[in-house]
Amino acid sequence: MCRTFGAEMANFSDKLMDMLVAALSDQGLHQSVKPSILSTFGDIAMAIGPVYTKYLQVVIHILKQASEATVDKNDYEMLDYFNELREGILEAYSGIVQGLKGEDTAS
């Protein structure tokens, strides 16, 4: 969706970001969805570019919290989830960097 709308995604980004952040906090949401939400943060950043800076503080905080998660190494199902979570975190960071590259910070 982000790639299809591109920069026009900025028109919807406030509401979408609010919904994604709220979904991450929802205890009823199945954990398998959370890595995809994290990855979506990067997709949005790539679509809207420098406009994404207004979300950076919140998103970086969320990614940091997610990266600090620990798991019982004997629980193989949780290990799989943990690996998916880390992959989502890396995809988010990668998308954010790509989306913000070339941003003019001098202005």
XYZ file of all heavy atoms in Angstrom:
822
model
N 0.822 -1.171 0.000
C 0.000 0.000 0.000
C 0.879 1.252 0.000
O 0.610 2.190 -0.742
C -0.916 -0.024 1.224
C -1.916 1.078 1.243
S -3.211 0.915 2.459
C -2.345 1.221 3.960
N 1.912 1.245 0.838
C 2.790 2.421 0.923
C 3.476 2.687 -0.400
O 3.613 3.841 -0.812
C 3.831 2.219 2.019
S 3.143 2.205 3.675
N 3.909 1.635 -1.066
C 4.606 1.820 -2.340
C 3.661 2.311 -3.421
O 4.043 3.065 -4.296
C 5.284 0.518 -2.747
C 6.440 0.189 -1.842
C 7.170 -1.051 -2.273
N 8.206 -1.337 -1.303
C 8.374 -2.487 -0.707
N 7.582 -3.491 -0.985
N 9.346 -2.660 0.167
N 2.414 1.875 -3.351
C 1.427 2.291 -4.336
C 1.106 3.771 -4.208
O 1.070 4.496 -5.197
C 0.123 1.473 -4.184
O 0.430 0.099 -4.370
C -0.918 1.909 -5.180
N 0.877 4.226 -2.979
C 0.510 5.621 -2.752
C 1.707 6.556 -2.739
O 1.567 7.742 -2.998
C -0.278 5.774 -1.447
C -1.663 5.225 -1.518
C -2.017 4.109 -0.791
C -2.615 5.827 -2.315
C -3.300 3.594 -0.857
C -3.908 5.325 -2.388
C -4.243 4.197 -1.656
N 2.881 6.039 -2.397
C 4.082 6.865 -2.368
C 3.934 8.064 -1.455
O 3.427 7.962 -0.342
N 4.326 9.242 -1.939
C 4.300 10.462 -1.132
C 2.880 10.854 -0.720
O 2.699 11.523 0.299
C 4.953 11.611 -1.896
N 1.875 10.409 -1.475
C 0.488 10.697 -1.099
C 0.116 10.018 0.218
O -0.873 10.390 0.851
C -0.471 10.241 -2.196
C -0.386 11.072 -3.456
C -1.330 10.568 -4.516
O -2.441 10.108 -4.191
O -0.953 10.629 -5.699
N 0.907 9.052 0.616
C 0.668 8.342 1.870
C 0.726 9.307 3.049
O 0.124 9.053 4.097
C 1.722 7.231 2.024
C 1.448 6.263 3.085
S 0.059 5.236 2.582
C -0.267 4.452 4.109
N 1.426 10.419 2.888
C 1.533 11.411 3.965
C 0.158 11.935 4.376
O -0.029 12.319 5.533
C 2.439 12.560 3.531
N -0.797 11.912 3.449
C -2.150 12.372 3.759
C -2.842 11.479 4.783
O -3.762 11.914 5.467
C -3.013 12.426 2.493
C -2.488 13.403 1.475
O -1.879 14.413 1.829
N -2.695 13.114 0.219
N -2.404 10.223 4.870
C -3.038 9.247 5.754
C -2.135 8.826 6.903
O -2.541 8.056 7.759
C -3.406 7.986 4.970
C -4.117 8.261 3.687
C -3.445 8.214 2.478
C -5.464 8.591 3.687
C -4.103 8.472 1.287
C -6.129 8.857 2.502
C -5.444 8.794 1.295
N -0.913 9.309 6.901
C 0.091 8.761 7.813
C -0.207 9.009 9.291
O 0.072 8.136 10.116
C 1.491 9.277 7.455
O 1.555 10.675 7.546
N -0.768 10.149 9.651
C -1.052 10.399 11.073
C -1.998 9.348 11.633
O -1.727 8.731 12.665
C -1.653 11.789 11.287
C -0.638 12.905 11.155
O 0.578 12.628 11.215
O -1.062 14.060 10.998
N -3.101 9.132 10.959
C -4.095 8.157 11.419
C -3.521 6.741 11.387
O -3.700 5.960 12.331
C -5.361 8.247 10.565
C -6.448 7.310 10.976
C -7.000 7.678 12.339
C -8.200 6.799 12.671
N -8.586 6.883 14.052
N -2.818 6.416 10.315
C -2.243 5.084 10.182
C -1.214 4.808 11.273
O -1.223 3.737 11.896
C -1.618 4.912 8.798
C -1.006 3.551 8.495
C -2.038 2.436 8.655
C -0.424 3.537 7.090
N -0.354 5.773 11.533
C 0.651 5.598 12.574
C -0.007 5.435 13.943
O 0.410 4.591 14.741
C 1.639 6.773 12.578
C 2.574 6.794 11.384
S 3.684 5.384 11.280
C 4.731 5.684 12.685
N -1.043 6.228 14.209
C -1.780 6.084 15.474
C -2.353 4.675 15.611
O -2.278 4.066 16.676
C -2.911 7.109 15.566
C -2.425 8.526 15.811
O -1.256 8.703 16.214
O -3.224 9.462 15.598
N -2.923 4.176 14.536
C -3.521 2.838 14.567
C -2.463 1.751 14.771
O -2.685 0.798 15.526
C -4.306 2.590 13.276
C -5.546 3.464 13.160
S -6.333 3.426 11.526
C -6.720 1.707 11.347
N -1.324 1.900 14.123
C -0.259 0.902 14.258
C 0.324 0.892 15.672
O 0.551 -0.176 16.256
C 0.843 1.151 13.227
C 0.445 0.914 11.770
C 1.560 1.373 10.840
C 0.105 -0.546 11.534
N 0.557 2.069 16.215
C 1.086 2.166 17.584
C 0.079 1.579 18.571
O 0.449 0.835 19.479
C 1.455 3.623 17.933
C 1.762 3.775 19.408
C 2.643 4.083 17.090
N -1.189 1.886 18.373
C -2.230 1.339 19.253
C -2.300 -0.181 19.134
O -2.463 -0.888 20.136
C -3.586 1.962 18.921
N -2.153 -0.692 17.930
C -2.198 -2.143 17.724
C -1.062 -2.843 18.467
O -1.261 -3.924 19.026
C -2.146 -2.462 16.231
N 0.111 -2.235 18.482
C 1.237 -2.839 19.196
C 0.968 -2.946 20.693
O 1.481 -3.842 21.360
C 2.516 -2.027 18.960
C 3.145 -2.179 17.589
C 4.290 -1.179 17.428
C 3.636 -3.600 17.354
N 0.172 -2.037 21.217
C -0.159 -2.036 22.646
C -1.334 -2.949 22.985
O -1.591 -3.212 24.160
C -0.503 -0.620 23.105
O 0.569 0.243 22.861
N -2.028 -3.411 21.982
C -3.224 -4.236 22.180
C -2.819 -5.652 22.596
O -2.245 -6.402 21.806
C -4.035 -4.269 20.891
C -5.332 -5.041 21.011
O -5.584 -5.664 22.061
O -6.112 -5.014 20.031
N -3.143 -6.016 23.834
C -2.797 -7.342 24.347
C -3.570 -8.454 23.626
O -3.146 -9.593 23.620
C -3.071 -7.407 25.854
C -2.237 -6.436 26.677
C -0.746 -6.696 26.540
O -0.297 -7.836 26.520
N 0.027 -5.632 26.440
N -4.707 -8.105 23.018
C -5.517 -9.087 22.314
C -5.011 -9.406 20.915
O -5.427 -10.392 20.309
N -4.130 -8.572 20.392
C -3.585 -8.792 19.055
C -2.590 -9.944 19.092
O -1.699 -9.978 19.938
C -2.890 -7.515 18.560
C -2.321 -7.562 17.154
C -3.442 -7.640 16.122
C -1.469 -6.329 16.898
N -2.733 -10.875 18.168
C -1.820 -12.015 18.133
C -0.400 -11.526 17.873
O -0.176 -10.651 17.029
C -2.240 -13.016 17.057
C -1.574 -14.333 17.198
N -0.345 -14.597 16.651
C -1.940 -15.442 17.872
C 0.015 -15.840 16.958
N -0.953 -16.375 17.705
N 0.535 -12.101 18.588
C 1.925 -11.641 18.503
C 2.521 -11.780 17.104
O 3.443 -11.046 16.757
C 2.795 -12.373 19.512
C 3.012 -13.845 19.207
C 3.808 -14.546 20.276
O 3.916 -14.070 21.390
N 4.355 -15.682 19.940
N 2.003 -12.666 16.293
C 2.565 -12.862 14.955
C 2.394 -11.628 14.067
O 3.092 -11.482 13.060
C 1.923 -14.077 14.281
O 0.548 -13.850 14.065
N 1.475 -10.729 14.433
C 1.220 -9.527 13.640
C 2.232 -8.425 13.968
O 2.543 -7.582 13.119
C -0.224 -9.027 13.890
C -0.513 -7.751 13.134
C -1.224 -10.111 13.544
N 2.775 -8.449 15.162
C 3.624 -7.344 15.623
C 4.901 -7.142 14.801
O 5.241 -6.000 14.490
C 3.906 -7.492 17.116
C 2.604 -7.308 17.906
C 2.774 -7.382 19.384
C 1.411 -7.186 20.047
N 1.483 -7.069 21.480
N 5.613 -8.200 14.386
C 6.786 -7.952 13.534
C 6.434 -7.245 12.220
O 7.183 -6.389 11.748
C 7.342 -9.356 13.274
C 6.896 -10.156 14.453
C 5.533 -9.612 14.786
N 5.272 -7.580 11.666
C 4.839 -6.928 10.427
C 4.536 -5.454 10.651
O 4.808 -4.618 9.780
C 3.596 -7.628 9.864
O 3.910 -8.936 9.492
N 3.975 -5.141 11.810
C 3.704 -3.733 12.137
C 5.010 -2.958 12.224
O 5.124 -1.848 11.691
C 2.891 -3.613 13.437
C 1.475 -4.152 13.229
C 2.849 -2.158 13.913
C 0.644 -4.219 14.492
N 6.004 -3.542 12.876
C 7.302 -2.870 12.987
C 7.896 -2.622 11.604
O 8.388 -1.532 11.316
C 8.261 -3.698 13.843
C 7.854 -3.893 15.297
C 8.873 -4.785 16.004
C 7.697 -2.577 16.017
N 7.815 -3.619 10.756
C 8.326 -3.484 9.393
C 7.572 -2.403 8.620
O 8.160 -1.658 7.832
C 8.196 -4.833 8.679
O 8.652 -4.755 7.366
N 6.287 -2.283 8.880
C 5.463 -1.271 8.211
C 5.928 0.137 8.533
O 5.810 1.043 7.692
C 3.976 -1.462 8.592
O 3.581 -2.772 8.180
C 3.089 -0.442 7.915
N 6.472 0.344 9.718
C 7.027 1.662 10.049
C 8.069 2.068 9.010
O 8.125 3.219 8.586
C 7.662 1.667 11.441
C 6.676 1.597 12.578
C 7.027 0.980 13.767
C 5.415 2.155 12.489
C 6.147 0.919 14.831
C 4.514 2.099 13.552
C 4.887 1.486 14.728
N 8.901 1.132 8.610
C 9.909 1.413 7.590
C 9.300 1.668 6.224
O 9.757 2.540 5.481
N 8.254 0.906 5.886
C 7.572 1.111 4.606
C 6.980 2.516 4.511
O 7.065 3.172 3.475
C 6.451 0.087 4.422
C 6.961 -1.332 4.245
O 8.143 -1.506 3.872
O 6.174 -2.272 4.494
N 6.381 2.946 5.600
C 5.788 4.287 5.620
C 6.878 5.345 5.470
O 6.719 6.314 4.726
C 4.967 4.506 6.905
C 3.741 3.589 6.905
C 4.541 5.975 7.044
C 2.996 3.536 8.219
N 7.987 5.150 6.158
C 9.099 6.107 6.059
C 9.605 6.212 4.625
O 9.874 7.315 4.137
C 10.234 5.700 6.993
N 9.727 5.076 3.943
C 10.187 5.114 2.553
C 9.176 5.824 1.660
O 9.560 6.505 0.710
C 10.448 3.705 2.032
C 11.723 3.105 2.572
S 12.233 1.585 1.744
C 10.922 0.470 2.176
N 7.899 5.682 1.972
C 6.865 6.295 1.133
C 6.787 7.805 1.322
O 6.645 8.542 0.343
C 5.504 5.664 1.440
N 6.887 8.267 2.570
C 6.641 9.703 2.809
C 7.915 10.517 3.000
O 7.856 11.740 3.090
C 5.676 9.924 3.988
C 6.277 9.475 5.317
C 4.346 9.231 3.723
C 5.403 9.786 6.530
N 9.058 9.852 3.063
C 10.336 10.561 3.127
C 10.494 11.433 4.359
O 10.139 11.028 5.466
N 11.000 12.658 4.184
C 11.308 13.538 5.309
C 10.114 13.873 6.211
O 10.305 14.247 7.366
C 11.836 14.808 4.645
C 12.354 14.360 3.328
C 11.456 13.227 2.918
N 8.901 13.737 5.708
C 7.716 13.977 6.534
C 7.725 13.024 7.739
O 7.168 13.330 8.787
C 6.422 13.795 5.696
C 5.178 13.905 6.551
C 6.392 14.796 4.555
N 8.408 11.895 7.591
C 8.438 10.869 8.639
C 9.145 11.334 9.911
O 8.951 10.742 10.969
C 9.113 9.601 8.100
C 8.874 8.382 8.947
C 7.697 7.671 8.839
C 9.823 7.946 9.869
C 7.466 6.546 9.616
C 9.598 6.829 10.643
C 8.423 6.138 10.513
O 8.191 5.034 11.287
N 9.923 12.383 9.839
C 10.678 12.827 11.019
C 9.776 13.110 12.214
O 10.199 12.957 13.356
C 11.536 14.075 10.718
O 10.694 15.106 10.207
C 12.631 13.749 9.728
N 8.526 13.489 11.975
C 7.632 13.769 13.102
C 7.274 12.512 13.883
O 6.787 12.608 15.003
C 6.377 14.503 12.638
C 5.459 13.732 11.719
C 4.289 14.626 11.320
C 3.382 13.977 10.307
N 2.253 14.861 9.979
N 7.514 11.340 13.327
C 7.225 10.082 14.014
C 8.480 9.442 14.625
O 8.370 8.455 15.344
C 6.601 9.070 13.052
C 5.420 9.599 12.299
C 5.451 9.715 10.913
C 4.271 10.002 12.962
C 4.364 10.206 10.211
C 3.180 10.503 12.270
C 3.235 10.600 10.894
O 2.161 11.093 10.204
N 9.631 9.983 14.321
C 10.891 9.336 14.709
C 11.003 9.064 16.203
O 11.391 7.958 16.595
C 12.091 10.170 14.266
C 12.606 9.894 12.872
C 13.798 10.789 12.570
C 12.959 8.453 12.673
N 10.711 10.028 17.023
C 10.894 9.844 18.459
C 10.078 8.661 18.978
O 10.598 7.813 19.704
C 10.524 11.125 19.210
C 10.816 11.049 20.689
C 10.546 12.375 21.396
O 10.049 13.331 20.806
N 10.876 12.429 22.659
N 8.828 8.595 18.591
C 7.954 7.512 19.052
C 8.399 6.171 18.477
O 8.502 5.173 19.193
C 6.481 7.805 18.663
C 5.593 6.603 18.907
C 5.974 9.012 19.426
N 8.678 6.148 17.181
C 9.034 4.887 16.532
C 10.368 4.350 17.045
O 10.489 3.151 17.331
C 9.046 5.044 14.994
C 9.616 3.808 14.321
C 7.639 5.329 14.491
N 11.346 5.209 17.203
C 12.639 4.758 17.716
C 12.476 4.195 19.125
O 13.068 3.165 19.466
C 13.691 5.898 17.688
C 13.962 6.341 16.251
C 14.969 5.487 18.388
C 14.510 5.261 15.334
N 11.646 4.823 19.926
C 11.373 4.311 21.272
C 10.738 2.917 21.202
O 11.141 2.003 21.942
C 10.466 5.278 22.034
C 10.095 4.816 23.397
N 10.990 4.801 24.449
C 8.940 4.316 23.887
C 10.394 4.315 25.519
N 9.141 4.017 25.204
N 9.774 2.737 20.316
C 9.124 1.434 20.158
C 10.122 0.386 19.684
O 10.154 -0.735 20.207
C 7.942 1.549 19.171
C 6.807 2.353 19.794
C 7.451 0.166 18.740
C 5.716 2.739 18.817
N 10.931 0.733 18.711
C 11.917 -0.222 18.188
C 12.949 -0.587 19.246
O 13.370 -1.747 19.342
C 12.596 0.343 16.940
C 11.686 0.566 15.735
C 12.460 1.232 14.606
C 11.052 -0.736 15.279
N 13.332 0.383 20.045
C 14.285 0.117 21.128
C 13.670 -0.840 22.142
O 14.312 -1.810 22.556
C 14.696 1.421 21.811
C 15.716 1.249 22.912
C 16.091 2.600 23.503
C 17.143 2.506 24.567
N 16.775 1.717 25.723
N 12.427 -0.590 22.523
C 11.750 -1.483 23.466
C 11.656 -2.894 22.900
O 11.913 -3.875 23.603
C 10.340 -0.984 23.775
C 10.277 0.140 24.764
C 8.835 0.493 25.090
O 7.990 0.588 24.206
N 8.569 0.693 26.367
N 11.281 -2.999 21.637
C 11.145 -4.310 21.013
C 12.489 -5.036 20.947
O 12.553 -6.247 21.139
C 10.556 -4.163 19.616
N 13.553 -4.290 20.722
C 14.878 -4.915 20.615
C 15.396 -5.396 21.962
O 16.300 -6.231 22.019
C 15.879 -3.952 19.981
O 16.178 -2.890 20.869
N 14.825 -4.889 23.039
C 15.255 -5.297 24.374
C 14.476 -6.494 24.911
O 14.726 -6.945 26.025
C 15.132 -4.112 25.334
C 16.101 -2.991 25.017
C 15.857 -1.719 25.811
O 14.778 -1.584 26.433
O 16.748 -0.849 25.797
N 13.549 -7.006 24.120
C 12.754 -8.158 24.545
C 13.659 -9.372 24.739
O 14.655 -9.547 24.039
C 11.688 -8.464 23.500
N 13.318 -10.170 25.720
C 14.065 -11.406 25.971
C 13.108 -12.583 25.876
O 11.890 -12.430 25.989
C 14.723 -11.387 27.358
O 13.707 -11.219 28.348
C 15.747 -10.275 27.464
N 13.677 -13.741 25.673
C 12.866 -14.942 25.495
C 13.601 -16.136 26.102
O 14.833 -16.169 26.148
C 12.560 -15.161 23.995
C 13.802 -15.465 23.204
C 11.528 -16.235 23.793
N 12.824 -17.086 26.567
C 13.370 -18.337 27.083
C 13.950 -19.131 25.916
O 13.228 -19.485 24.981
C 12.262 -19.130 27.779
C 12.724 -20.481 28.298
O 13.929 -20.786 28.233
O 11.844 -21.234 28.774
N 15.227 -19.401 25.950
C 15.900 -20.073 24.838
C 15.453 -21.528 24.668
O 15.782 -22.167 23.675
C 17.408 -19.981 25.007
C 17.921 -18.559 24.893
C 19.423 -18.519 24.939
C 20.064 -17.185 24.944
N 19.471 -16.021 24.565
N 14.705 -22.049 25.608
C 14.192 -23.414 25.506
C 12.804 -23.459 24.874
O 12.294 -24.535 24.586
C 14.144 -24.076 26.893
C 15.536 -24.241 27.475
O 16.470 -24.608 26.777
N 15.674 -23.931 28.749
N 12.201 -22.324 24.671
C 10.881 -22.241 24.063
C 11.065 -21.918 22.578
O 11.211 -20.760 22.189
C 10.046 -21.158 24.760
C 8.615 -21.092 24.277
O 8.319 -21.647 23.191
O 7.799 -20.478 24.985
N 11.042 -22.956 21.755
C 11.371 -22.792 20.341
C 10.349 -21.953 19.583
O 10.698 -21.225 18.653
C 11.565 -24.154 19.664
C 12.750 -24.889 20.235
C 12.589 -26.051 20.970
C 14.040 -24.391 20.065
C 13.676 -26.714 21.519
C 15.136 -25.040 20.607
C 14.945 -26.194 21.332
O 16.028 -26.838 21.877
N 9.090 -22.017 19.987
C 8.073 -21.187 19.351
C 8.350 -19.707 19.628
O 8.257 -18.867 18.735
C 6.688 -21.564 19.867
C 5.567 -20.867 19.139
C 4.202 -21.352 19.578
O 4.011 -22.575 19.681
O 3.341 -20.480 19.813
N 8.717 -19.403 20.857
C 9.037 -18.011 21.197
C 10.332 -17.570 20.537
O 10.477 -16.395 20.173
C 9.112 -17.836 22.716
C 7.757 -17.808 23.392
S 6.648 -16.531 22.739
C 7.456 -15.043 23.293
N 11.279 -18.482 20.367
C 12.519 -18.138 19.660
C 12.222 -17.747 18.219
O 12.806 -16.792 17.696
C 13.506 -19.303 19.696
C 14.373 -19.405 20.933
C 15.201 -20.696 20.909
C 15.281 -18.208 21.082
N 11.313 -18.486 17.577
C 10.920 -18.135 16.214
C 10.291 -16.743 16.185
O 10.596 -15.929 15.311
C 9.936 -19.154 15.650
C 10.604 -20.449 15.223
O 11.842 -20.444 15.022
O 9.887 -21.456 15.089
N 9.403 -16.495 17.129
C 8.758 -15.181 17.212
C 9.799 -14.094 17.438
O 9.768 -13.036 16.804
C 7.717 -15.157 18.339
C 7.257 -13.762 18.684
C 6.478 -13.030 17.793
C 7.630 -13.157 19.880
C 6.061 -11.736 18.094
C 7.209 -11.871 20.191
C 6.433 -11.172 19.294
O 6.039 -9.895 19.591
N 10.737 -14.347 18.334
C 11.783 -13.391 18.654
C 12.609 -13.059 17.411
O 12.943 -11.893 17.164
C 12.657 -13.975 19.761
C 13.645 -13.021 20.345
C 13.230 -11.922 21.069
C 15.002 -13.231 20.177
C 14.152 -11.045 21.624
C 15.925 -12.363 20.727
C 15.500 -11.269 21.448
N 12.924 -14.078 16.615
C 13.678 -13.847 15.382
C 12.864 -13.029 14.380
O 13.409 -12.155 13.701
C 14.124 -15.168 14.770
C 15.243 -15.812 15.557
O 16.028 -15.135 16.213
N 15.312 -17.126 15.526
N 11.570 -13.296 14.284
C 10.706 -12.509 13.410
C 10.618 -11.058 13.893
O 10.608 -10.131 13.087
C 9.310 -13.121 13.357
C 9.252 -14.436 12.618
C 7.896 -15.104 12.719
O 6.923 -14.445 13.147
O 7.815 -16.295 12.368
N 10.568 -10.892 15.204
C 10.527 -9.557 15.786
C 11.790 -8.782 15.422
O 11.723 -7.630 14.986
C 10.375 -9.659 17.301
C 10.049 -8.389 18.066
C 8.662 -7.885 17.689
C 10.111 -8.648 19.561
N 12.923 -9.416 15.565
C 14.197 -8.752 15.214
C 14.265 -8.412 13.734
O 14.764 -7.355 13.359
C 15.379 -9.635 15.623
C 15.528 -9.700 17.123
C 16.950 -9.547 17.491
N 17.056 -9.248 18.903
C 18.041 -9.641 19.650
N 19.006 -10.375 19.135
N 18.096 -9.293 20.919
N 13.753 -9.297 12.911
C 13.730 -9.028 11.469
C 12.849 -7.814 11.181
O 13.214 -6.939 10.388
C 13.201 -10.254 10.723
C 13.270 -10.118 9.222
C 12.833 -11.391 8.520
O 13.107 -12.488 9.018
O 12.197 -11.260 7.446
N 11.697 -7.724 11.837
C 10.818 -6.568 11.675
C 11.490 -5.286 12.125
O 11.334 -4.234 11.493
N 12.246 -5.360 13.209
C 12.974 -4.193 13.719
C 14.006 -3.727 12.690
O 14.103 -2.535 12.376
C 13.655 -4.518 15.062
C 12.602 -4.762 16.148
C 14.631 -3.421 15.471
C 13.150 -5.418 17.409
N 14.761 -4.669 12.157
C 15.789 -4.319 11.167
C 15.168 -3.756 9.893
O 15.695 -2.797 9.311
C 16.656 -5.535 10.846
C 17.567 -5.986 11.981
C 18.256 -7.293 11.616
C 18.590 -4.918 12.303
N 14.051 -4.335 9.463
C 13.370 -3.807 8.280
C 12.865 -2.386 8.535
O 12.917 -1.543 7.644
C 12.220 -4.726 7.882
C 12.697 -6.036 7.288
C 11.574 -7.032 7.041
O 10.410 -6.748 7.426
O 11.862 -8.090 6.479
N 12.388 -2.138 9.744
C 11.920 -0.790 10.086
C 13.073 0.204 10.029
O 12.960 1.259 9.393
C 11.283 -0.781 11.475
N 14.184 -0.128 10.685
C 15.332 0.778 10.668
C 15.828 1.012 9.247
O 16.150 2.138 8.869
C 16.473 0.233 11.532
C 16.336 0.517 13.005
C 16.385 -0.519 13.938
C 16.177 1.813 13.487
C 16.274 -0.260 15.299
C 16.065 2.074 14.842
C 16.114 1.027 15.742
O 16.018 1.283 17.086
N 15.891 -0.038 8.467
C 16.360 0.079 7.088
C 15.454 1.008 6.281
O 15.928 1.884 5.548
C 16.400 -1.307 6.445
O 16.767 -1.225 5.102
N 14.155 0.834 6.425
C 13.202 1.692 5.715
C 13.282 3.139 6.161
O 13.176 4.060 5.347
N 13.476 3.342 7.456
C 13.590 4.703 7.982
C 14.822 5.389 7.419
O 14.758 6.532 6.959
C 13.602 4.690 9.520
C 12.221 4.278 10.051
C 14.012 6.053 10.077
C 12.202 3.936 11.531
N 15.937 4.688 7.417
C 17.178 5.265 6.883
C 17.015 5.577 5.398
O 17.383 6.661 4.938
C 18.371 4.315 7.132
C 19.593 4.745 6.339
C 18.688 4.244 8.609
N 16.434 4.648 4.651
C 16.242 4.876 3.217
C 15.274 6.031 2.969
O 15.486 6.839 2.057
C 15.712 3.613 2.548
C 16.740 2.520 2.448
C 16.167 1.259 1.828
O 15.372 1.342 0.896
N 16.546 0.119 2.352
N 14.227 6.096 3.767
C 13.235 7.152 3.588
C 13.759 8.528 3.919
O 13.355 9.526 3.320
N 14.675 8.585 4.882
C 15.184 9.882 5.320
C 16.496 10.276 4.661
O 16.949 11.400 4.839
C 15.348 9.895 6.839
C 14.070 9.712 7.650
C 14.380 9.763 9.136
C 13.025 10.753 7.281
N 17.110 9.388 3.907
C 18.379 9.741 3.275
C 18.175 10.889 2.299
O 17.148 10.994 1.640
C 19.021 8.551 2.578
C 18.400 8.171 1.282
C 19.138 7.028 0.633
C 18.467 6.709 -0.699
N 19.099 5.632 -1.363
N 19.101 11.761 2.294
C 19.000 12.918 1.428
C 18.179 14.052 2.009
O 18.021 15.077 1.397
N 17.656 13.821 3.235
C 16.884 14.889 3.878
C 17.812 16.062 4.153
O 18.929 15.904 4.633
C 16.287 14.385 5.192
C 15.560 15.462 5.939
C 15.142 15.020 7.338
O 15.485 13.923 7.754
O 14.488 15.838 7.998
N 17.335 17.238 3.874
C 18.110 18.448 4.109
C 17.923 18.890 5.546
O 16.911 19.477 5.899
C 17.673 19.559 3.149
C 18.500 20.818 3.302
O 19.547 20.773 3.969
O 18.097 21.849 2.736
N 18.905 18.573 6.410
C 18.807 18.932 7.822
C 19.330 20.341 8.099
O 19.246 20.826 9.193
C 19.583 17.927 8.689
O 20.942 17.872 8.253
C 18.951 16.549 8.612
N 19.876 21.007 7.082
C 20.435 22.344 7.277
C 19.344 23.408 7.376
O 19.579 24.503 7.861
C 21.379 22.681 6.128
N 18.143 23.099 6.915
C 17.089 24.130 6.939
C 16.342 24.179 8.228
O 16.403 23.456 9.087
C 16.107 23.918 5.806
O 15.751 22.602 5.606
